[in-house]
Amino acid sequence: MRFDIVPKPPAVAARPRDERGYPVPAITPWEEGKPQFALTDHERSAACARERLCSVCNTRMPRGTVWRVVGGTEAAAIGEALAAGRPYRNMAPTLEGPGHRACMLYASMVCPYLARSNARRRVSAAPGEEPDGLTAHVLRGAARGELGAVVGFAEYEYAITPDRVLFRFLDPVEWLPHDNADQQLPNLEAELARIAE
């Protein structure tokens, strides 16, 4: 599905856009007037963590469930744990912050890496950037994997270091899987109708 026909949450529709019309997420840095989609702005990400702001739309998230998009083995493991009634906790931190349900459903459909199983992360997001022990699981050039999911978590934790913001998500409470993110359209439409009430 083309990104420009995916229904936008109101706060996403108000975001600045790039020259193609893509809304620019809150944590995306700008360089010479252009958004750098493969990078994360440290200060913006830290503000989202501290102030409980959505990493997509930059508006406050209420207390309670937060969402993120996961892929591959993590998506499958969460689904299996929830189906079996078992707890699930991934202790590996991620650089990807939380967001509103509608914003993450939207992001799952319009971000090429999140939307398709064969999409790959850029091989190098920044000159000289190398994964370390905390972020080695986020491999540049790796495919998302067969399964993706928008997952609701009861809470998140974060740590702010001098050069990155790390998140951990606790206690999944909702699992909305997809092979191709176009399958999330009914969920997105229903969520937009709910928040419009």
Side-chain angles (χ1 to χ4, degrees), residues 1-186:
M1 177 178 289
R2 286 188 0 234
F3 82 91
D4 55 342
I5 62 172
V6 177
K8 294 175 192 64
V12 171
R15 295 287 310 153
R17 297 177 190 216
D18 74 358
E19 68 278 356
R20 300 165 298 172
Y22 271 99
V24 180
I27 60 170
T28 301
W30 291 75
E31 187 176 302
E32 297 179 7
K34 294 188 177 187
Q36 304 300 305
F37 287 106
L39 302 176
T40 301
D41 183 278
H42 182 273
E43 291 308 314
R44 292 172 194 221
S45 188
C48 285
R50 284 189 200 104
E51 300 170 34
R52 201 174 173 89
L53 302 175
C54 174
S55 62
V56 176
C57 74
N58 205 44
T59 64
R60 191 147 172 79
M61 297 180 295
R63 288 274 161 219
T65 306
V66 297
W67 284 264
R68 73 178 281 249
V69 185
V70 300
T73 56
E74 185 178 14
I78 292 169
E80 290 168 10
L82 287 174
R86 293 189 322 264
Y88 174 87
R89 182 165 289 183
N90 183 348
M91 298 308 286
T94 179
L95 302 171
E96 297 153 356
H100 298 106
R101 188 175 190 262
C103 292
M104 289 299 167
L105 286 165
Y106 176 81
S108 77
M109 295 181 68
V110 300
C111 171
Y113 176 74
L114 300 175
R116 294 185 304 277
S117 61
N118 62 348
R120 297 182 180 277
R121 293 182 187 269
R122 276 187 20 186
V123 173
S124 176
E129 181 182 274
E130 296 293 328
D132 60 20
L134 290 174
T135 60
H137 62 286
V138 182
L139 298 175
R140 299 289 174 195
R144 183 203 77 194
E146 287 302 312
L147 185 65
V150 176
V151 181
F153 293 87
E155 194 51 80
Y156 71 95
E157 301 174 330
Y158 65 90
I160 300 171
T161 73
D163 61 345
R164 67 188 69 207
V165 181
L166 300 168
F167 295 90
R168 263 200 314 234
F169 292 84
L170 313 172
D171 305 323
V173 296
E174 181 180 41
W175 184 68
L176 302 169
H178 62 266
D179 296 315
N180 181 304
D182 291 356
Q183 296 165 323
Q184 295 291 6
L185 183 59

